[in-house]
Structure formats: structure tokens, C-alpha cells
Amino acid sequence: MKRHIAKLLLVLLIILGFGAVRAIAEEAANVCIDCHSNLDAPLKVTGEEFGASIHAQKGLTCTACHGGNATDAELAMSPKAGFKGKPSRQQIPELCGKCHSDAAYVRQYNPSLRTDQLSQYHTSIHGKRLAIGDTKVAVCTDCHGIHDIRPPSDTRSSVHPLNVANTCKRCHADADYMKSYGIKTDQFAGYSESVHHAAMVERGDLSAPTCTTCHGNHGAAPPGVASVANVCSTCHVFQAQLFDESPHKAAFANMGFPGCVTCHSNHRIKPPSDSMLAGKDAVCTNCHTEGDAGSTTAQNFYSGILNLQASITRSEGILNRAADEGVEVGQAQLELTQARDALTKARVTIHSLQPEKVKADLDAGTKVTDKTYAAGTKAMQESRFRRVGLLVSLGAILFTVVALGLYIREREKNGGNSTH
Ligand code: HEC
Ligand code: HEC
Ligand code: HEC
Ligand code: HEC
Ligand code: HEC
Ligand code: HEC
Ligand code: HEC
Ligand code: HEC
Ligand code: HEC
């Protein structure tokens, strides 16, 4: 009886085993790849390349985009099997959008994946120009790749935040390619030298913007003059609020100047410094002239900031010296942080252009530096006092030692006499 069961089980196992092997063989059989992996570029498509794509990983094959029959070499590229060939550039957005705009379809795979890429794309300069027959603009595959498409979260994806700028650069930094449009081709060069590029690429801060953060991923229209300040303000909230309160808000709008980028530029944003307020690198003097209200205010901001900076340095100096001499000044050194914070705040508050507001920040800082400098002075006095005290006690000790020595000598002299 037991033997029969064992035999039955064995047969079952063999059947199941064959089934599994057959299934694997069927899955692996892709006549398109068999043939195309041996062709020369641009017809070469390997199993390795396609296997790395999200589409292959989700079980799609060549026929999902090209039609045809992937299991029968005879029928593979036959129109009878629905083979569509290579889509033209103008067909590509609709081809990708066929699946990606279909919410019901996408939900089966990934409920959180957006389905607005195609509709957004139609609103972008790229999409609008493609619609009127300009095939040099970016289509889906220019940004995402063709057969090796990966999710944006994959660091190897051409649309991962760290790689986006290089993806846009291919066309936008190519002066030859862009010649007919008469637009600048320095965006990548500028961005590469910006605070944002430094934050993202050098410090790995993915919250810093890359091209598509400002321009949109699919609705890749440049922000218009009116929305420029809005782009920056999504992240730099304080500066934006202060700018909105400033007289520049209305003045710039009247003159057709954008907000933030008038002083900071859009792509080549440099680390800001006090020298933007006065001197040869000042941005204020681009519009204001010596003696007008704007220029005077700029000059006052500049000297106010420099004064506070100097007071902080002075306090730091005396507190460090006191600490070196062993006087406890930890509390004052900690308090000095508040002055540094006030200085940082003043550098932000200048965006309001309101002298009283900036003065309030500077005064708060000066109050702290006055207090900490006084603490430093007191500490140095204490140190001096201690030194004098030490000298006095050293003197006293020396005096005692000498006196004692003399006394002993005297005693010895007298004692020597007495033993005789
Ligand atoms: C036996 C080899 C072979 C097989 C199998 C094969 N192809 Fe091709 N394919 C070719 C060759 C050769 C060309 C280029 C000549 C031509 O267009 O006929 C080509 C061209 C193409 C093109 C470009 C057509 C164009 O319009 O420029 C696409 C797309 C393509 N194949 C997809 C597929 C897909 C998808 C499959 C599987 C369903 C497949 N091929 C199966 C050999 C093959
Ligand atoms: C997600 C959709 C998609 C899938 C899946 C896909 N392709 Fe393509 N394929 C495209 C698009 C889009 C193009 C046209 C790209 C372009 O304009 O350069 C293309 C182009 C091609 C070409 C023509 C290359 C040339 O420049 O002449 C070949 C050959 C090809 N695919 C073969 C394959 C094979 C083989 C597979 C399966 C391993 C496959 N494709 C899977 C979208 C797809
Ligand atoms: C036959 C339907 C289909 C077509 C056609 C198609 N895709 Fe997909 N695509 C999918 C599916 C399914 C996924 C997997 C979604 C998931 O699980 O995240 C996917 C995933 C993606 C992802 C990664 C999304 C993510 O964050 O996970 C990108 C990017 C993408 N596709 C771009 C394209 C582009 C570009 C084209 C056109 C060349 C295209 N797709 C054509 C079905 C399709
Ligand atoms: C100008 C470049 C560009 C073009 C053109 C483009 N994409 Fe994208 N796409 C991106 C970037 C950048 C991301 C990454 C967004 C992120 O980091 O989350 C993205 C993300 C995606 C995703 C992941 C989900 C999402 O929306 O974040 C899908 C799917 C996708 N794109 C499909 C498409 C399709 C379909 C087309 C064509 C209709 C297209 N893309 C055209 C740049 C582009
Ligand atoms: C395949 C080439 C190509 C790629 C890749 C590409 N673009 Fe473009 N882009 C163009 C062309 C061509 C135009 C049309 C220029 C025009 O009309 O002034 C354009 C227009 C634009 C515009 C509008 C410029 C204007 O005239 O106001 C913006 C913004 C833009 N692209 C951003 C991007 C971003 C961001 C990326 C990367 C995510 C990108 N592009 C990738 C070719 C490309
Ligand atoms: C911090 C936001 C930001 C980033 C990052 C950014 N841009 Fe821009 N870009 C802008 C603004 C704002 C404008 C509009 C300038 C104006 O109105 O003066 C602009 C304009 C453009 C234009 C129109 C032509 C021009 O130069 O005026 C193109 C093309 C462009 N950007 C491409 C890019 C590319 C490519 C990248 C990445 C290498 C990029 N941008 C990164 C904000 C940004
Ligand atoms: C997606 C968010 C985001 C957007 C949009 C953005 N920035 Fe930034 N910005 C950052 C981050 C993150 C840093 C780096 C902060 C740091 O290093 O402390 C930064 C740094 C800066 C700095 C240097 C600050 C410093 O203290 O050194 C300036 C100036 C600046 N951005 C201006 C702009 C302008 C102008 C725009 C619009 C054209 C803009 N930013 C758009 C996130 C953003
Ligand atoms: C009128 C010129 C001007 C405009 C407009 C302007 N800024 Fe500034 N911004 C400056 C100056 C000058 C500094 C440097 C102050 C300093 O360091 O003393 C600065 C500094 C900054 C800093 C660094 C502040 C810090 O923490 O040290 C950021 C971030 C910044 N600006 C963002 C913005 C944003 C966002 C906008 C638009 C809402 C904007 N700026 C508009 C002139 C301007
Ligand atoms: C793009 C040109 C431009 C730049 C750059 C610029 N301003 Fe102005 N500013 C104006 C205009 C226009 C007005 C309003 C008309 C006027 O009162 O002169 C104004 C007004 C002012 C006012 C109010 C003046 C009043 O009459 O009450 C102050 C203060 C001011 N700016 C300070 C600055 C400072 C500080 C900077 C540098 C950080 C600066 N501006 C950079 C154009 C500019």
C-alpha cells in the first residue's frame, strides 16, 4: 500500500516537474530577443538590456509595444500577428500613454502611480511643438530611455533626480541642435555651478531642485515671469513672504522684472553674501543710484550686518582667550549662538527692504554680543585677578620659605654653639 502511494507521488512529481520546466521554457522563449540580440545597432536589443527594465520585470514583452508574436519566429514580425514595427517619434507619447493614462490598467500594477503624464505632456512646450510637427523636442523615450526604462527611484534611471540635468543637457546644452530655436543653451552650465547643484550632487541633498523640480516633469513649460517667484517660494518660504511685503513686489511687477531671479538668477544661483548689498558685486546698484532711498537702505543694511559680524568676532575672541586661561565661559559662548542666529535672520529679513525690521534683528544680535563681551571682559578680569592672587600667594610662600630657611640657619648656628 505504502509503495503504491510512493509511486503515485513520484509520478505526480515528475508531471509537476515537467510542467514547471515547460512553463520556464515558454517564458524564456522570446524569438524577438533570440534574433535581435544578434543584430547590429540600432536593431540590437538584448535580453539583458530589456530584462533590466520595469516593463520586463512586470511581465510585459516586446509585443506590448510592437505587436507581433514573440513565440513564433515565422509570425514574429508579420502584420497578420498585429506587428506594428517601429513607432515614429510622433506616435511615441500616445503609445506610452495607451497604458499610462489608463487608470484601471495601471492600478492593477501600482495603485499609487500617477496617470497624468500624457495629459501633462500635451500642455508642455515639448508636447505643443510635437503636435505641430516639430520632432526635435523631447518625447517620452528621450527622457526615459526605450528598452531599459527604470522607475525614477532607481539611481540608474535617466530621470532619477541626480541624473535629470544630464538628460536635459543632451539637447539643451547642444548649441547646434538648438540653433534654430534662438534660445540660450547655458542652462546646464549655469545650473552646474549653482548652490542647488552643489547641495544635490556634492552633498546628496535630494530636496534641492534639479531642472524638472522647477520646470515640471511632464508639463515642462518654463515658469512664466509671474510664476517665477512662486517656483522659488515653494521651498524658500520666508524669503518669499518678505519679498511679497516689500516695495519691490509691485515695482518689479510694473517693470516686468521677475522676483527672486532678478537678483539671484535662475540657473547660475551663487551662494549669497553681504557683498551683494554694497561694493562692486552689489546687485542693488544695478537699479539704484548713489544717494537714492534704495541705495541708502542697501548701504545701511550692509554696514549694520558688518557691524554685528564684527561684534560677534570680538566676543568670540575674548571668550576664547578667557577659556584658554581656564575661566569658565561656556554659558556666554552658548549665548553667542543667539547672536549668530540674529545675523542669519537679518540676512533673510533684508528681503522685506524694511529698515526697522532689519534693525530689530541686528539690535537683538547686538544685545547678545554686548552681554557676551561684558561676560568675556569680566572673565578676563577674573583671570587677571587670579594671576595677581597667585603671584601674591607665591610671594607669600617664597617669603615664608626664605624666612623659614633663615630661621633654621639661625637655629642651627645657635644650636651648634650650645653643643660645644
Ligand atoms: C529571425 C529574426 C527576427 C525575429 C524573430 C524578429 N525580428 Fe525584428 N527585425 C529583424 C530584422 C533583420 C529587422 C530589420 C529588417 C526589417 O525591418 O525587416 C527587424 C526589424 C525590427 C523592428 C524595426 C522595424 C522598423 O519599422 O524599422 C522592430 C520594431 C522589430 N524588428 C521588432 C521585433 C519584435 C517585437 C519581434 C518579436 C515579436 C521581432 N522583431 C522578431 C529580425 C527579427
Ligand atoms: C515599452 C514599449 C516597448 C517595448 C516593451 C519594446 N520596445 Fe522596442 N521600441 C519602442 C519604441 C518607442 C521604439 C522607437 C524608439 C525610437 O524612436 O528610437 C522602439 C524601437 C525598437 C526597434 C528599432 C530600433 C531602431 O532604431 O531601428 C527595435 C528593433 C525594437 N524596438 C525591438 C524591440 C524588442 C526586440 C523588444 C523586446 C525585447 C522591444 N523592442 C520592446 C518601445 C518598446
Ligand atoms: C503595455 C502597457 C505599457 C506601455 C505601452 C508602456 N508602459 Fe510603462 N509601465 C507599464 C507597467 C505595467 C508598469 C509598471 C508599473 C509599476 O508597477 O510601477 C510601467 C512602468 C513604467 C515606469 C516606471 C513607473 C514607476 O515609477 O514605477 C515608467 C517610467 C514607464 N513605465 C514609462 C513608459 C514609457 C516611456 C513608455 C513608452 C515608451 C511606456 N512606459 C509604455 C505599462 C506600460
Ligand atoms: C522632459 C523629460 C520627460 C518627458 C518628455 C517625459 N517624462 Fe516621464 N518623467 C520625467 C521625470 C524627470 C520623471 C521623474 C519624476 C520623479 O522624480 O518623481 C518622470 C516620471 C514618469 C513616470 C513615473 C510616475 C510619475 O509620474 O512620476 C512615468 C510613468 C512617466 N514619467 C511616463 C512618461 C510618459 C508616458 C511620457 C510621454 C507621454 C513621459 N513620461 C515623458 C521626465 C520626462
Ligand atoms: C530631445 C531633445 C530634448 C530633451 C532631451 C529635452 N528638451 Fe526641452 N526642448 C527641446 C526643444 C527642441 C525645445 C523647443 C525650444 C523652443 O521652442 O524654444 C525644448 C523646449 C523646452 C523648454 C521651453 C523653452 C522655451 O522656449 O521657453 C523648456 C523649459 C524645456 N525644454 C525644458 C526641458 C527639461 C527640463 C528637460 C529635461 C527634463 C528637457 N527640456 C529635455 C528639446 C529637448
Ligand atoms: C531653481 C529653478 C530652476 C532650475 C533648477 C532650472 N531652471 Fe530653467 N528656468 C528657471 C526659470 C525661473 C526660468 C525663466 C527665466 C526667466 O523668466 O527669466 C528658466 C528658463 C529656462 C529655459 C528657457 C530659456 C532660458 O534660458 O531662459 C530653459 C530651456 C530651461 N530653463 C532649462 C533648464 C534646464 C535644462 C535645467 C537643468 C539643467 C534648468 N532649466 C534648471 C528655473 C529653473
Ligand atoms: C525644491 C526646493 C527648492 C526650490 C524650488 C528652490 N530652491 Fe533654492 N535651495 C534649496 C535647497 C535645498 C538649498 C540648499 C540649502 C542649504 O544648503 O542650506 C537651496 C539654496 C539656495 C540658495 C543659497 C542659500 C544659502 O544660504 O546659501 C539660494 C540663494 C537659493 N536657493 C535661491 C533660490 C531661487 C532664486 C530659486 C528659484 C529660482 C530657488 N532657490 C528654488 C531648495 C530649493
Ligand atoms: C533685490 C534683490 C533680491 C531679491 C529680489 C531677492 N533676493 Fe535673496 N538675497 C539678496 C541678497 C542681497 C542676499 C544676501 C544677504 C546677505 O548675505 O547679506 C540674499 C540672500 C538670499 C538667501 C540666503 C539667505 C541666508 O540665509 O543667508 C536666500 C535663500 C534667498 N536670498 C532667496 C531669495 C528668494 C527665494 C527670493 C524671492 C522670493 C529672493 N531671494 C529675492 C537679494 C535679493
Ligand atoms: C531690478 C531693479 C532693482 C534692483 C536690482 C533693486 N531694486 Fe530696489 N527698487 C527698485 C524699484 C523700481 C523700486 C521702486 C521705485 C523706487 O522707489 O525707486 C525700488 C525700491 C526700493 C526701496 C524702497 C525705496 C523707497 O522709496 O522707499 C528700497 C529700500 C530698495 N528698493 C532697496 C533695494 C536693495 C537693498 C536692493 C539690493 C538688495 C535693491 N533695492 C535692488 C528696483 C530695484
Side-chain angles (χ1 to χ4, degrees), residues 245-293:
E245 291 171 14
S246 79
H248 276 162
K249 169 85 171 174
F252 282 19
N254 286 340
M255 297 168 78
F257 287 128
C260 320
V261 304
T262 298
C263 294
H264 290 289
S265 99
N266 51 359
H267 299 125
R268 202 178 299 267
I269 300 173
K270 292 288 185 186
S273 78
D274 304 333
S275 61
M276 283 171 73
L277 289 165
K280 66 174 172 47
D281 296 326
V283 289
C284 315
T285 45
N286 287 345
C287 302
H288 293 285
T289 47
E290 181 93 41
D292 78 4

Side-chain angles (χ1 to χ4, degrees), residues 359-391:
K359 185 164 180 297
D361 290 338
L362 294 172
D363 286 350
T366 313
K367 215 167 120 191
V368 178
T369 53
D370 284 350
K371 192 175 162 207
T372 49
Y373 188 74
T377 314
K378 196 162 155 248
M380 288 307 286
Q381 272 165 0
E382 195 179 308
S383 161
R384 223 166 292 140
F385 183 74
R386 278 197 206 161
R387 236 178 313 168
V388 172
L390 194 68
L391 271 179

Side-chain angles (χ1 to χ4, degrees), residues 98-149:
K98 183 171 61 85
C99 295
H100 283 284
S101 310
D102 183 342
Y105 169 83
V106 168
R107 208 177 306 125
Q108 302 166 7
Y109 292 90
N110 183 347
S112 64
L113 196 62
R114 298 172 62 149
T115 49
D116 63 348
Q117 297 89 7
L118 180 62
S119 56
Q120 285 279 313
Y121 176 77
H122 285 316
T123 69
S124 74
I125 304 264
H126 293 146
K128 283 186 185 153
R129 293 201 63 93
L130 185 74
I132 56 166
D134 180 353
T135 56
K136 283 173 78 179
V137 296
V139 299
C140 317
T141 46
D142 291 309
C143 294
H144 287 286
I146 307 168
H147 297 119
D148 57 352
I149 295 174

Side-chain angles (χ1 to χ4, degrees), residues 229 232-233 236 239-240 243 248 252 259-260 262-264 272-274 276-277 283 305 344 347-348 350-351 353:
C232 316
S233 65
H236 300 287
Q239 285 86 356
F243 175 78
H248 276 162
F252 282 19
C260 320
T262 298
C263 294
H264 290 289
S273 78
D274 304 333
M276 283 171 73
L277 289 165
V283 289
I305 287 174
T344 306
R347 284 175 172 145
V348 175
I350 57 130
H351 290 90
L353 302 184

Side-chain angles (χ1 to χ4, degrees), residues 138-362:
V139 299
C140 317
T141 46
D142 291 309
C143 294
H144 287 286
I146 307 168
H147 297 119
D148 57 352
I149 295 174
R150 293 181 159 97
S153 55
D154 187 324
T155 51
R156 290 163 299 178
S157 160
S158 52
V159 296
H160 182 274
L162 289 174
N163 305 330
V164 164
N166 280 319
T167 300
C168 312
K169 168 194 171 194
R170 279 210 322 274
C171 299
H172 283 282
D174 185 337
D176 245 14
Y177 191 83
M178 299 302 289
K179 199 160 65 194
S180 54
Y181 299 97
I183 65 168
K184 289 188 276 178
T185 48
D186 65 347
Q187 299 92 3
F188 178 81
Y191 175 72
S192 303
E193 289 178 16
S194 72
V195 287
H196 293 141
H197 180 267
M200 173 167 299
V201 175
E202 285 154 32
R203 299 203 296 281
D205 179 356
L206 296 189
S207 70
T210 180
C211 318
T212 44
T213 322
C214 293
H215 290 288
N217 298 323
H218 301 112
V225 164
S227 64
V228 161
N230 295 342
V231 171
C232 316
S233 65
T234 50
C235 301
H236 300 287
V237 183
F238 294 123
Q239 285 86 356
Q241 271 170 2
L242 294 163
F243 175 78
D244 285 349
E245 291 171 14
S246 79
H248 276 162
K249 169 85 171 174
F252 282 19
N254 286 340
M255 297 168 78
F257 287 128
C260 320
V261 304
T262 298
C263 294
H264 290 289
S265 99
N266 51 359
H267 299 125
R268 202 178 299 267
I269 300 173
K270 292 288 185 186
S273 78
D274 304 333
S275 61
M276 283 171 73
L277 289 165
K280 66 174 172 47
D281 296 326
V283 289
C284 315
T285 45
N286 287 345
C287 302
H288 293 285
T289 47
E290 181 93 41
D292 78 4
S295 170
T296 309
T297 303
Q299 194 61 52
N300 289 343
F301 287 168
Y302 182 67
S303 45
I305 287 174
L306 250 51
N307 283 343
L308 178 55
Q309 177 68 71
S311 304
I312 292 173
T313 311
R314 194 173 71 137
S315 285
E316 278 168 353
I318 198 163
L319 290 174
N320 285 346
R321 257 178 292 141
D324 284 347
E325 299 199 358
V327 187
E328 172 53 42
V329 288
Q331 181 60 32
Q333 281 176 321
L334 199 66
E335 268 175 50
L336 200 53
T337 316
Q338 293 168 14
R340 289 191 202 99
D341 290 347
L343 182 61
T344 306
K345 195 152 168 265
R347 284 175 172 145
V348 175
T349 311
I350 57 130
H351 290 90
S352 73
L353 302 184
Q354 292 167 30
E356 330 78 65
K357 271 201 170 178
V358 176
K359 185 164 180 297
D361 290 338
L362 294 172

